Amino acid sequence: MRVVLAEDLFLLRDGLVRMLEAYDFEIAAAVETGPELARALAELEPDVAVVDVRLPPTHTDEGLQCALQARRDRPGLPVLVLSQHVEQLYARELLADGTGGVGYLLKDRVFDAEQFVDAVRRVAAGGTAMDPQVIQQLLSRRAGGGQPLGRLTPRELEVLELMAQGRSNAAIATQLVVTERAIAKHTSNIFAKLGLEVSDDDNRRVLAVLAYLDRDR
């Protein structure tokens, strides 16, 4: 699996390269600036891009903008974003097309190599890998008022958050210590309240929820 990596801090970039190579990823390019990332994504056509949001020269949103442009040029290009903070606007824009293959992790909440590698592989396969804090902020933006999310019960919001992280019904049931049948009932209620068609495909249903969360920006 070929990876283009963008991180401006040398030690972190070098550490990510060594870790990914240890898990049999091929590093097609490891860059530190926005222009370098744009060229690498355009010329190398990687299987997945792992990018920091803020890169030189301005340290604002170069990484995200390069990734978004690359996804416009190559729809569905898998992108995993690493950030120090929850950037709601960036997360929402990344999720906007609903095509999948997206992730958003917070650097200080990645606790081990297997967790990170699993996220890279999941995104490369077209799935999602969202940090719970990112999901919570997206949910909180939608919950309340006259929004449909305001009609969900606290338990349904909890299930929705776990669904949006990419969890299966079985995984959600294990975490919440309930039966899988109970989770299936919650998910049916969630889709009914949100006006979304129920799907047995976990990835598609997560993308549908994320697409819904991104509507009416």
Side-chain angles (χ1 to χ4, degrees), residues 86-98 102 104 128 130-144 147-152 156-166 190-191 193-196 203-217:
V86 179
E87 310 270 8
Q88 285 196 40
L89 177 61
Y90 298 145
R92 289 161 57 78
E93 190 169 358
L94 183 65
L95 295 165
D97 60 14
V102 294
Y104 197 115
T128 57
M130 306 295 292
D131 186 280
Q133 286 192 7
V134 178
I135 296 301
Q136 285 172 1
Q137 291 210 21
L138 290 173
L139 290 174
S140 65
R141 188 179 180 91
R142 289 297 175 199
Q147 298 293 338
L149 284 183
R151 299 200 292 267
L152 301 185
E156 289 166 351
L157 282 170
E158 191 173 14
V159 171
L160 177 58
E161 179 182 331
L162 292 170
M163 287 171 58
Q165 292 175 33
I190 289 168
F191 279 108
K193 291 178 180 180
L194 298 184
L196 299 170
N203 183 50
R204 284 186 296 170
R205 72 179 189 173
V206 170
L207 294 177
V209 172
L210 293 174
Y212 171 81
L213 294 174
D214 192 72
R215 292 191 322 188
D216 302 324
R217 287 187 289 173

Side-chain angles (χ1 to χ4, degrees), residues 46-97:
D47 297 307
V48 60
V50 178
V51 305
D52 190 4
V53 170
R54 300 177 180 181
L55 297 173
T58 67
H59 293 281
T60 55
D61 60 358
E62 284 91 346
L64 219 300
Q65 291 304 322
C66 288
L68 290 169
Q69 183 59 55
R71 279 175 68 88
R72 286 190 285 268
D73 295 338
R74 183 183 160 195
L77 169 68
V79 173
L80 175 61
V81 174
L82 292 174
S83 179
Q84 295 282 11
H85 310 285
V86 179
E87 310 270 8
Q88 285 196 40
L89 177 61
Y90 298 145
R92 289 161 57 78
E93 190 169 358
L94 183 65
L95 295 165
D97 60 14

